Amino acid sequence: MVTTELTQKLVKGVEIFTRLREEDIQVGVTPKEEVYREDKVLLYHFSPKVEHSLNIPILIVYALVNRPYIVDLQEGRSLVANLLELGLDVYLIDWGYPSRGDRWLTLDDYINGYINNCVDVVRDRHNLEQINLLGICQGGTFSLCYSSLYPEKVKNLITMVTPVDFHINEGLLNVWGGCTLGSKAVDIDLMVDTLGNIPGDFLNLEFLMLKPFQLGVQKYIDLLENIDCESKLINFLRMEKWIFDSPDQAGEAYRQFMKDFYQGNKLIQGSGRDWQQASGSGKHPHPDFEHLRRARSSRCSSLFLSS
């Protein structure tokens, strides 16, 4: 009896698969428009759902590792749609897909460059001094750095699933990244010097290995329970599309992120001299972003001279 039911499910599932096409797996369903473009980076503005949005817009900064459409995956499963319904004016940075020409992009380019330019575009569009930032995953780490460097431009900072202390030994990614052994765990310089950009497939495999059986075997076994339901099957394929849609990582940015955060843990271990002076207190540890501060000053000087 069980075998007959399973066979019927499989037959129905095969029939559904034969009809499905790439365009049936729709993601990023909320209407939006491109309002800024720089290199491969796009800034989107989502169409408001209420007549009068709240005064201060929110800019979503997602990770480089996966695609940001996870925050607007499908109808009924969209963080963006929920924020719009609450009356927020929502913007999103799409990092695009780095190519060999982006090999030398650094954290300075991403934080002092792309994020800062996108923030300025939103500020100018709304005639505001400050906006809200929502940083997700690695984008939350970037947003922490940015808010520390440009506090005058950030009204509120919200982070979700954001790594901050990279030396927590319970995190497998932290251990693999070298939080305990440093370069003995993984030689980042050798990896970047050899590969240039870090392949997205390598990073995707690394994430899958966090739970190899659950993510590599069990979910496909569980799929058999719903394979005869087209809507559930499409939902499953949407998530598969996102999981395996992993852009390559710009080599120098990856090198710096891994060495400064995973191995150096600079968000926690930084000297914080500038921050203690600014806050008037040395009680709390602050990140040492002196290299990003110097880069910011250099960018400002270049803009001044070129103007």
Side-chain angles (χ1 to χ4, degrees), residues 93-149:
I93 297 177
D94 184 335
W95 299 114
Y97 295 86
S99 65
R100 292 177 62 186
D102 303 304
R103 154 77 166 84
W104 302 102
L105 289 176
T106 65
L107 293 187
D108 167 45
D109 294 307
Y110 281 104
I111 297 172
N112 287 323
Y114 297 135
I115 293 179
N116 189 44
N117 292 342
C118 288
V119 168
D120 284 346
V121 169
V122 178
R123 292 169 63 234
D124 290 342
R125 284 172 59 89
H126 293 264
N127 194 26
L128 293 171
E129 292 296 321
Q130 296 179 312
I131 66 170
N132 296 325
L133 279 187
L134 171 56
I136 302 175
C137 192
Q138 183 190 33
T141 307
F142 284 4
S143 297
L144 285 168
C145 297
Y146 181 82
S147 299
S148 298
L149 293 166

Side-chain angles (χ1 to χ4, degrees), residues 21-36:
R21 296 294 182 266
E22 179 69 22
E23 54 268 22
D24 296 321
I25 316 300
Q26 294 293 321
V27 295
V29 296
T30 303
K32 60 183 182 293
E33 64 171 335
E34 176 189 324
V35 295
Y36 177 72

Side-chain angles (χ1 to χ4, degrees), residues 15-290:
E15 187 271 327
I16 294 173
F17 267 117
T18 59
R19 290 190 285 102
L20 289 178
R21 296 294 182 266
E22 179 69 22
E23 54 268 22
D24 296 321
I25 316 300
Q26 294 293 321
V27 295
V29 296
T30 303
K32 60 183 182 293
E33 64 171 335
E34 176 189 324
V35 295
Y36 177 72
R37 177 188 293 258
E38 181 180 359
D39 300 329
K40 295 181 176 65
V41 177
L42 300 176
L43 176 63
Y44 288 111
H45 178 228
F46 291 91
S47 301
K49 288 192 173 184
V50 298
E51 185 175 353
H52 299 290
S53 299
L54 298 178
N55 292 333
I56 302 177
I58 186 167
L59 172 61
I60 299 176
V61 182
Y62 198 73
L64 304 176
V65 180
N66 289 108
R67 302 289 291 137
Y69 56 73
I70 189 65
V71 301
D72 186 35
L73 189 62
Q74 67 185 77
E75 195 76 30
R77 297 174 66 190
S78 171
L79 170 64
V80 168
N82 289 336
L83 293 177
L84 292 172
E85 289 172 359
L86 290 172
L88 276 72
D89 208 349
V90 183
Y91 291 79
L92 170 71
I93 297 177
D94 184 335
W95 299 114
Y97 295 86
S99 65
R100 292 177 62 186
D102 303 304
R103 154 77 166 84
W104 302 102
L105 289 176
T106 65
L107 293 187
D108 167 45
D109 294 307
Y110 281 104
I111 297 172
N112 287 323
Y114 297 135
I115 293 179
N116 189 44
N117 292 342
C118 288
V119 168
D120 284 346
V121 169
V122 178
R123 292 169 63 234
D124 290 342
R125 284 172 59 89
H126 293 264
N127 194 26
L128 293 171
E129 292 296 321
Q130 296 179 312
I131 66 170
N132 296 325
L133 279 187
L134 171 56
I136 302 175
C137 192
Q138 183 190 33
T141 307
F142 284 4
S143 297
L144 285 168
C145 297
Y146 181 82
S147 299
S148 298
L149 293 166
Y150 300 88
E152 71 278 6
K153 297 184 181 183
V154 180
K155 179 68 173 179
N156 295 293
L157 169 65
I158 308 99
T159 60
M160 298 173 59
V161 291
T162 292
V164 177
D165 187 351
F166 288 79
H167 281 192
I168 295 177
N169 294 336
E170 288 77 8
L172 282 178
L173 284 179
N174 295 348
V175 175
W176 293 345
C179 73
T180 55
L181 299 176
S183 60
K184 293 181 180 179
V186 55
D187 192 332
I188 302 300
D189 290 327
L190 178 61
M191 181 183 298
V192 174
D193 293 343
T194 302
L195 298 175
N197 287 346
I198 305 302
D201 288 340
F202 167 79
L203 296 172
N204 189 59
L205 178 61
E206 187 175 24
F207 282 110
L208 292 177
M209 289 305 295
L210 293 173
K211 296 181 178 179
F213 181 76
Q214 179 180 337
L215 299 177
V217 179
Q218 185 64 52
K219 69 176 181 180
Y220 298 110
I221 296 175
D222 294 340
L223 174 62
L224 297 177
E225 292 294 321
N226 300 313
I227 199 170
D228 58 338
C229 178
E230 183 169 342
S231 61
K232 293 181 178 179
L233 182 56
I234 291 178
N235 287 347
F236 178 85
L237 292 176
R238 282 195 185 96
M239 281 303 300
E240 289 292 280
K241 177 182 176 71
W242 175 76
I243 289 172
F244 291 99
D245 190 1
S246 302
D248 295 344
Q249 301 295 293
E252 288 307 307
Y254 181 82
R255 186 202 308 266
Q256 192 174 0
F257 191 80
M258 293 298 294
K259 296 181 73 172
D260 284 0
F261 295 103
Y262 275 98
Q263 296 183 359
N265 203 25
K266 287 192 174 181
L267 284 175
I268 301 297
Q269 300 298 334
S271 62
R273 290 185 297 271
D274 294 337
W275 310 103
Q276 291 169 12
Q277 181 178 358
S279 64
S281 171
K283 295 181 180 179
H284 303 289
H286 296 283
D288 182 4
F289 299 137
E290 189 57 34

